[in-house]
Amino acid sequence: MAETKIFARLKADHDRHRELLDRIDATKGDSDARRTLFEAFRVEVTAHAASEEMSLYATMLADPDLRDEAQHSVAEHKEIEDFLTELYEMDFGSSGWLTRFRTMKDRYLHHIDEEEEVMFPAAAKGLSDARKKELIEIFEREKPREKAKAAVEEPSSEHARD
């Protein structure tokens, strides 16, 4: 069904994120594998969140019936972004890093489960097939741009380093 393509696309990203999280969780110490997988996850999730906000969330925020769910999800995106920055700045080999990573992993898995089980079905009810088609086009156009941007930006708590 073409009309569900936006939700299938978002879920496909979520499935990739789940896989990356499990692979990171299986790494040991300050290894190249941990750093490479974490960076791949950071870039992917940053681009996904920004593109999701520009497409689906922008539409939901304009709908009074969906606004609270969208605002909640945007706040969770910010929380995950903060976790990613904190993890990026920590010693990748410390036990504290893995503990913090697992906290972030749990929060992110909760977020995407909530999106898939609650938010996507609620949003799907109020969207026309034409609007769903527009949303997938926006997402597919913006995600590569956001991914390229995230790949060159170094995360920091100030969001800009000298």
Side-chain angles (χ1 to χ4, degrees):
M1 293 183 149
E3 70 273 6
T4 62
K5 191 172 180 182
I6 182 64
F7 302 108
R9 177 64 173 85
L10 295 172
K11 184 171 182 324
D13 273 10
H14 292 170
D15 290 344
R16 169 130 172 85
H17 302 165
R18 287 179 179 101
E19 176 193 348
L20 283 167
L21 287 167
D22 287 344
R23 291 177 64 195
I24 294 165
D25 206 350
T27 62
K28 306 281 187 241
D30 189 357
S31 63
D32 287 342
R34 179 175 282 178
R35 287 184 175 274
T36 300
L37 290 167
F38 178 77
E39 182 61 8
F41 178 78
R42 184 191 68 79
V43 168
E44 175 64 30
V45 166
T46 301
H48 171 89
S51 303
E52 188 174 53
E53 289 174 14
M54 284 185 261
S55 57
L56 182 61
Y57 287 10
T59 298
M60 291 178 68
L61 287 166
D63 183 334
D65 294 332
L66 301 173
R67 188 173 299 132
D68 287 346
E69 285 291 332
Q71 288 172 333
H72 174 75
S73 288
V74 169
E76 287 182 342
H77 281 182
K78 174 67 173 115
E79 177 187 25
I80 298 304
E81 179 184 328
D82 291 345
F83 271 115
L84 293 173
T85 299
E86 183 181 350
L87 286 162
Y88 181 85
E89 294 174 346
M90 289 177 74
D91 174 1
F92 276 59
S94 71
S95 61
W97 190 92
L98 191 56
T99 299
R100 198 68 180 146
F101 168 78
R102 287 179 175 155
T103 300
M104 184 275 303
K105 178 182 175 182
D106 288 345
R107 292 295 303 138
Y108 186 68
L109 291 174
H110 162 80
H111 167 74
I112 60 178
D113 288 346
E114 190 173 65
E115 280 186 333
E116 292 171 6
E117 294 167 13
V118 178
M119 199 170 95
F120 293 174
K125 290 178 188 170
L127 296 173
S128 68
D129 289 351
R131 185 62 185 143
K132 290 174 189 172
K133 185 176 185 293
E134 291 171 12
L135 295 180
I136 190 65
E137 289 169 358
I138 294 167
F139 185 85
E140 294 291 2
R141 180 183 67 237
E142 295 302 327
K143 186 160 181 215
R145 293 178 188 171
E146 291 298 321
K147 200 168 183 177
K149 191 166 84 174
V152 297
E153 289 179 351
E154 185 175 293
S156 74
S157 51
E158 300 87 35
H159 295 288
R161 284 200 171 150
D162 296 336

